């Protein structure tokens, strides 16, 4: 049987399983079993056992449940309220005023949670009622929240970067550091868009007669000190080479528990809620990873990735043509699957052709995450849209319409890191140096 027929057969089985509601991890394992049983001579049972065992005790993977637990603990603390009160006095004089609290609040929480959905839920729960009460336009409230919450996937510690690093055997520490400058770039694009909208239409943003003195602003900034220390402790220790991502994650859990306890809003019951939620999420992701690892091994035995990479090489596509095609592919795939599933489903097939055309796997990881960010705000399966709909009760299509300008800004971000790869590679190279 020819390679295209094998590929279409396996793809059809996968789509059918997912359409029937079979768990992603189980679907991946079944497709792997079909591939290795019918299209190779390898012993299916032995490969299944060794792959599941080999990919379930990775030291790099240990950081995953720890960062998830850190985010769950902070989700149940007063961190979001403290961030709002600390940021609002400084941002009230900018074009767009308190809409920038959504953007910077999401960026800060992304730097301590690693989750897009947790960022949208935490900041949205605090900011949406406050901004609506002050008369800010609904479209910009929802758009800035949906768009900025996607930063949870990129700004370290990012759960999806850990998944990509484990799946492709890339350095998680270097991936974390590589996400910093692109994250700052996207924050600037979002804030610039809001400022331009406010400048072009001053009546869009409600007037705010409350003025803060410098003393009052500095006093309010004290609320930002705990989260700043947490970010410095986690990310700074990785960049300085003092701790591995796993060590930094453990430090982050300890600091988050201390921070939540000092706010006076944390209890034993909330702690156990956080532990159970983190356990469920971690098990889901780990199960998907081992299923994807088995599928990758099975595909290797069939020879499909190698042949596909050779076929792409024979087509002599330019770098930009390949990236344009992959961008469209990932956006379409992200309309139907969550970000982690997109990464683990595609890396075994995509990475050989990426390496074939000479793309840096580290740069490609950041590119992939930014494109997956775009899928978080595209219907029908945009996770951020679902979270915000649950918070506000607003129709998901209205939320998607409000988020569309930020989808375009993310697309601009992809273009910028493609044109200027050093945005991604500068800090990892400096860290290595």
């Amino acid at each position: 049987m020819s390679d295209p027929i094998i590929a279409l057969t396996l793809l059809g089985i996968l789509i059918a399983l997912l359409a029937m509601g079979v768990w992603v991890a189980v679907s991946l394992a079944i497709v792997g079993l079909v591939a290795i049983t019918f299209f190779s001579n390898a012993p299916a049972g032995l490969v299944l056992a060794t792959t599941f065992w080999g990919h379930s005790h990775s030291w790099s993977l240990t950081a995953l449940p720890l960062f998830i637990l850190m985010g769950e603990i902070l989700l149940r603390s007063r961190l979001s309220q403290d961030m709002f009160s600390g940021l609002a006095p400084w941002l009230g004089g900018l074009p767009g005023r308190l809409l920038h609290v959504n953007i910077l609040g999401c960026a800060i929480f992304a730097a301590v949670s690693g989750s897009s959905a947790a960022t949208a839920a935490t900041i949205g729960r605090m900011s949406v009622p406050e901004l609506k009460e002050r008369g800010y336009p609904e479209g910009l409230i929802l758009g800035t929240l949906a768009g900025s919450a996607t930063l949870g996937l990129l700004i370290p510690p990012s759960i999806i970067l850990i998944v990509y690093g484990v799946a492709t055997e890339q350095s998680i520490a270097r991936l974390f550091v590589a996400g910093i400058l692109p994250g700052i770039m996207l924050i600037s694009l979002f804030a610039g868009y809001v400022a331009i909208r406010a400048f072009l239409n001053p009546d869009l943003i409600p007037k705010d007669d409350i003025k803060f003195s410098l003393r009052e602003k500095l006093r309010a900034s004290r609320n930002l000190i705990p989260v700043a220390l947490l970010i410095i402790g986690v990310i700074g220790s990785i960049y300085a080479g003092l701790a591995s991502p796993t060590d930094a994650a453990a430090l982050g859990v300890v600091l988050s528990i201390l921070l939540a306890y000092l706010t006076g809003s944390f209890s034993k019951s909330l702690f156990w809620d956080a532990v159970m939620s983190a356990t469920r999420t971690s098990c889901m992701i780990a199960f998907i990873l081992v299923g994807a690892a088995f599928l990758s091994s099975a595909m290797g035995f069939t020879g499909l990735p190698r042949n596909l990479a050779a076929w792409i090489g024979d087509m002599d596509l330019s770098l930009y043509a390949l990236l344009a095609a992959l961008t469209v592919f990932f956006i379409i795939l992200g309309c139907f699957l969550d970000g982690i599933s997109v990464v683990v489903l595609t890396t075994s097939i995509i990475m050989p052709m990426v390496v074939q055309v000479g793309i840096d796997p580290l740069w490609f990881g950041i590119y992939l995450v930014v494109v997956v960010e775009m899928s978080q705000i595209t219907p029908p399966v945009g996770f951020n849209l679902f979270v915000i709909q649950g918070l506000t009760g607003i129709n998901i299509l209205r939320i998607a319409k409000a988020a569309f300008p930020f989808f375009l800004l993310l697309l601009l971000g992809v273009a910028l890191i493609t044109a200027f790869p050093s945005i991604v590679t500068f800090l990892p190279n400096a860290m290595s140096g």
Side-chain angles (χ1 to χ4, degrees):
M1 191 178 293
S2 64
D3 286 343
I5 294 177
I6 295 174
L8 289 174
T9 301
L10 296 177
L11 180 61
I13 294 172
L14 179 60
I15 292 173
L17 290 170
L18 293 174
M20 289 188 292
V22 179
W23 289 356
V24 172
V26 176
S27 300
L28 295 174
I30 290 174
V31 174
L33 278 173
V34 172
I36 204 168
T37 301
F38 295 102
F39 304 117
S40 80
N41 297 320
L46 180 61
V47 175
L48 176 68
T50 54
T51 303
F52 270 43
W53 172 253
H55 285 78
S56 61
H57 67 282
S58 165
W59 175 247
S60 300
L61 198 57
T62 311
L64 183 69
L66 291 172
F67 277 127
I68 292 173
L69 177 58
M70 183 180 77
E72 292 288 344
I73 291 170
L74 294 173
L75 183 63
R76 290 161 175 79
S77 70
R78 283 181 44 209
L79 180 70
S80 59
Q81 294 94 318
D82 289 344
M83 282 197 302
F84 191 95
S85 60
L87 290 172
W90 292 97
L91 301 176
L94 297 177
R97 293 190 175 87
L98 296 185
L99 287 171
H100 294 287
V101 174
N102 257 0
I103 298 170
L104 288 182
C106 284
I108 292 172
F109 195 83
V112 292
S113 75
S115 167
S116 174
T119 300
T122 306
I123 302 302
R125 189 180 298 139
M126 171 270 301
S127 68
V128 171
E130 183 78 20
L131 294 176
K132 277 189 172 181
E133 185 179 337
R134 295 179 183 231
Y136 284 82
E138 178 187 89
L140 282 176
I141 296 174
L142 299 177
T144 52
L145 178 61
S148 303
T150 63
L151 296 169
L153 297 180
L154 178 63
I155 296 179
S158 163
I159 293 170
I160 201 167
L161 282 178
I162 297 175
V163 172
Y164 175 83
V166 171
T168 61
E169 299 181 352
Q170 293 296 307
S171 165
I172 294 174
R174 284 172 57 82
L175 283 168
F176 275 5
V177 173
I180 294 175
L181 288 183
I184 295 173
M185 175 192 71
L186 290 176
I187 294 168
S188 303
L189 290 175
F190 295 161
Y193 169 75
V194 170
I196 291 171
R197 285 285 304 272
F199 181 77
L200 295 177
N201 188 0
D203 296 332
L204 194 65
I205 306 299
K207 299 293 187 292
D208 192 350
D209 297 328
I210 301 176
K211 303 296 182 183
F212 293 92
S213 66
L214 180 60
R215 182 188 295 263
E216 290 171 326
K217 290 179 179 180
L218 293 174
R219 187 180 297 119
S221 298
R222 290 183 299 181
N223 293 321
L224 299 174
I225 293 175
V227 68
L229 292 176
L230 182 58
I231 294 172
I232 293 170
V234 174
I235 307 304
S237 62
I238 295 174
Y239 184 81
L242 301 176
S244 69
T246 303
D247 299 330
L251 175 64
V253 170
V254 173
L255 291 176
S256 63
I257 292 173
L258 181 62
L259 173 61
Y261 176 77
L262 291 177
T263 61
S265 59
F266 204 57
S267 63
K268 186 182 292 185
S269 62
L270 288 177
F271 173 74
W272 285 114
D273 285 345
V275 170
M276 292 307 298
S277 180
T279 301
R280 286 191 292 268
T281 304
S282 302
C283 289
M284 176 196 72
I285 296 174
F287 196 21
I288 291 174
L289 278 173
V290 294
F294 174 61
L295 177 59
S296 298
S297 298
M299 297 298 280
F301 282 111
T302 65
L304 277 177
R306 181 178 61 254
N307 296 337
L308 180 61
W311 178 62
I312 294 293
D314 293 340
M315 289 175 65
D316 201 25
L317 283 176
S318 70
L319 174 67
Y320 298 114
L322 176 61
L323 287 175
L326 288 177
T327 301
V328 174
F329 169 70
F330 284 127
I331 291 173
I332 294 173
L333 198 61
C335 288
F336 304 98
L337 294 172
D338 66 279
I340 290 173
S341 298
V342 170
V343 171
V344 297
L345 275 171
T346 58
T347 48
S348 61
I349 303 295
I350 299 296
M351 288 310 295
M353 70 177 74
V354 165
V355 174
Q356 177 84 13
V357 298
I359 297 175
D360 182 358
L362 178 79
W363 178 91
F364 186 77
I366 302 303
Y367 154 84
L368 178 56
V369 169
V370 177
V371 176
V372 168
E373 281 183 345
M374 297 160 67
S375 71
Q376 298 292 296
I377 51 176
T378 54
V381 189
F383 272 38
N384 285 9
L385 305 183
F386 285 132
V387 171
I388 296 170
Q389 183 188 37
L391 284 172
T392 62
I394 296 172
N395 183 281
I396 196 168
L397 293 179
R398 280 169 57 193
I399 302 172
K401 181 181 177 182
F404 182 68
F406 295 86
F407 173 89
L408 296 179
L409 290 172
L410 287 167
L411 191 59
L412 175 59
V414 171
L416 288 173
I417 65 171
T418 302
F420 307 102
S422 59
I423 296 174
V424 174
T425 57
F426 174 75
L427 284 182
N429 291 340
M431 180 177 74
S432 300

